[in-house]
Amino acid sequence: MNTNQKTRIAIAGIGGIGGYIGGKLAYHYQNSENVEILFISRGETKKAIDQQGLTLHSGDQTYNCVPSVNSDDPVLIGQIDALIICTKSYSTTSILKEYARCLQPNAVIITTQNTVNGQASLADLLPKGISLLEGCIFIASNILQAGIIEHKPGPTKLFFGTNNLASKQGEAFEKLLQEAGIDTTFTQNIQEILWKKFLFVSPIAIVSALTQLTFSQILENEIHVTRFIQLTSELIQLAQVKHIPLDENAINNNVELLRKFNPTVKSSFQLDLAKGNLSEIDSLISYVLTEAATHALKLPYYETAFIELCLKYPHINAQIDPL
Ligand SMILES: NC(=O)C1=CN([C@@H]2O[C@H](COP(=O)(O)OP(=O)(O)OC[C@H]3O[C@@H](n4cnc5c(N)ncnc54)[C@H](OP(=O)(O)O)[C@@H]3O)[C@@H](O)[C@H]2O)C=CC1
Ligand SMILES: CC(C)(CO)C(=O)C(=O)O
């Protein structure tokens, strides 16, 4: 972090997550002498933010959030100290390729996708000296329309960090995010937290997309809850062969977490599929099947669910063949 100039933080992708994180940051630091918040947005979103700022509805509060720069041009973004990537998982590499030139020496990249293999998939693209601090966020926050975001009350917690490495920058950005009112923890044990989130989000993404029900409607139906638990159990088997330490109450914790979300919440995966959008099927599901195959592990509930998803959503963009 450059101590003589403002710390410049760019948020890439101003949708549900970028709109929450970027919105809270831009709102808090709008007149700051030390911190500058930049949005990397494009198309309709960029146009809406240029015209009226970003509107963030969070619980019963509404924030009008104006970044110092709102652009899809790396030249206008300029040099930055941190890049928080809030696009879908299938866009992270293109963001990194395009905006790597903006990263100051010693800059950090923070990710927020529902993935457990960010290091492996992004490592080759990292410029020298740049730290990738993988992260994940427990939240439900979605686009109402371009430039207007709704964050639903309920779990709201950002984690990012390293595996067994101290990071002064990590600690400094934790503080900057906390000061903007974002519940954030920098951890030196990120792999375990990424898996905890993945263990929840991959099974619930499947069940919610196959049923198109809200989280509370899923909880009311024993068949759907059983399926959620069966998928979670298979994912635990994968975590075990990969030697990922997990809480012994992982299944109960998952069901409890589902209860904590606002009753009206739907997963981002189910919303994307319902709208006919591209989906994160590769990072949420194909990844599990591919890794299981590598370890000669059979995951029949995952295999069946994958086929059902491909049949239900013919536009689905999976990289592996369902048959
Ligand atoms: N929504 C949620 O509640 C949660 C989501 N997550 C995870 O967070 C990540 C983000 O999800 P979410 O916020 O829902 O996604 P959204 O689709 O709401 O937002 C992604 C945004 O990124 C933009 N974008 C993509 N590529 C670029 C680019 N090159 N330049 C500028 N903008 C770009 C998209 O713009 P465009 O429309 O033009 O493509 C879109 O506005 C996902 O991995 C998701 O799984 C995690 C927890 C909860
Ligand atoms: C399930 C949920 C809402 C939990 O944060 C999520 O991560 C998503 O929909 O992508």
Side-chain angles (χ1 to χ4, degrees), residues 17 88 112 114 137-142 155 197 200-202 204-205 208 215 257-258 261 265-271 280 284:
I17 299 307
K88 289 276 160 53
T112 56
N114 288 317
I137 181 161
F138 294 82
I139 192 172
S141 180
N142 302 103
K197 173 78 200 279
F200 175 72
V201 73
S202 170
I204 199 57
S208 62
F215 284 9
L257 182 54
L258 191 55
F261 278 93
V265 167
K266 293 185 170 189
S267 71
S268 54
F269 182 66
Q270 91 185 94
L271 291 170
E280 295 186 298
L284 288 169

Side-chain angles (χ1 to χ4, degrees), residues 249-264:
N249 291 319
I251 291 182
N252 286 344
N253 293 347
N254 249 11
V255 178
E256 278 316 302
L257 182 54
L258 191 55
R259 280 188 216 290
K260 285 186 184 145
F261 278 93
N262 185 285
T264 62

Side-chain angles (χ1 to χ4, degrees), residues 12-19 40-45 71-72 85-92 94-95 98-99 112-115 136-143 149 197 201 261 265-269 271-272 277 280 283-284:
I14 308 299
I17 299 307
I40 296 174
S41 72
R42 65 182 181 186
E44 288 302 309
T45 308
S71 178
D72 55 1
I85 306 184
C86 300
T87 60
K88 289 276 160 53
S89 53
Y90 48 78
S91 302
T92 51
S94 58
I95 283 286
E98 199 167 351
Y99 292 92
T112 56
Q113 289 64 37
N114 288 317
T115 54
C136 65
I137 181 161
F138 294 82
I139 192 172
S141 180
N142 302 103
I143 300 174
I149 305 301
K197 173 78 200 279
V201 73
F261 278 93
V265 167
K266 293 185 170 189
S267 71
S268 54
F269 182 66
L271 291 170
D272 281 334
N277 291 348
E280 295 186 298
S283 51
L284 288 169

Side-chain angles (χ1 to χ4, degrees), residues 44-160:
E44 288 302 309
T45 308
K46 178 178 178 307
K47 212 191 292 173
I49 297 171
D50 280 341
Q51 284 170 0
Q52 65 221 12
L54 171 82
T55 303
L56 169 64
H57 300 292
S58 178
D60 52 13
Q61 305 261 45
T62 295
Y63 302 89
N64 182 251
C65 318
V66 182
S68 71
V69 178
N70 176 44
S71 178
D72 55 1
D73 181 347
V75 175
L76 295 182
I77 293 295
Q79 291 292 289
I80 54 177
D81 300 285
L83 174 65
I84 307 183
I85 306 184
C86 300
T87 60
K88 289 276 160 53
S89 53
Y90 48 78
S91 302
T92 51
T93 51
S94 58
I95 283 286
L96 202 44
K97 280 182 191 157
E98 199 167 351
Y99 292 92
R101 73 189 93 164
C102 297
L103 297 163
Q104 298 262 28
N106 297 322
V108 301
I109 297 169
I110 297 174
T111 54
T112 56
Q113 289 64 37
N114 288 317
T115 54
V116 283
N117 62 343
Q119 283 290 351
S121 57
L122 298 178
D124 288 351
L125 296 171
L126 292 182
K128 245 190 157 172
I130 304 298
S131 314
L132 173 62
L133 302 176
E134 275 183 276
C136 65
I137 181 161
F138 294 82
I139 192 172
S141 180
N142 302 103
I143 300 174
L144 286 183
Q145 65 184 71
I148 305 186
I149 305 301
E150 182 188 28
H151 163 230
K152 295 203 163 159
T156 303
K157 174 98 194 168
L158 172 67
F159 292 92
F160 69 94

Side-chain angles (χ1 to χ4, degrees), residues 226-246:
T226 302
R227 190 168 206 182
F228 175 57
I229 291 173
Q230 286 162 337
L231 291 162
T232 305
S233 309
E234 285 193 345
L235 207 41
I236 290 174
Q237 289 175 43
L238 179 63
Q240 282 167 341
V241 295
K242 289 173 74 66
H243 306 292
I244 309 290
L246 293 178

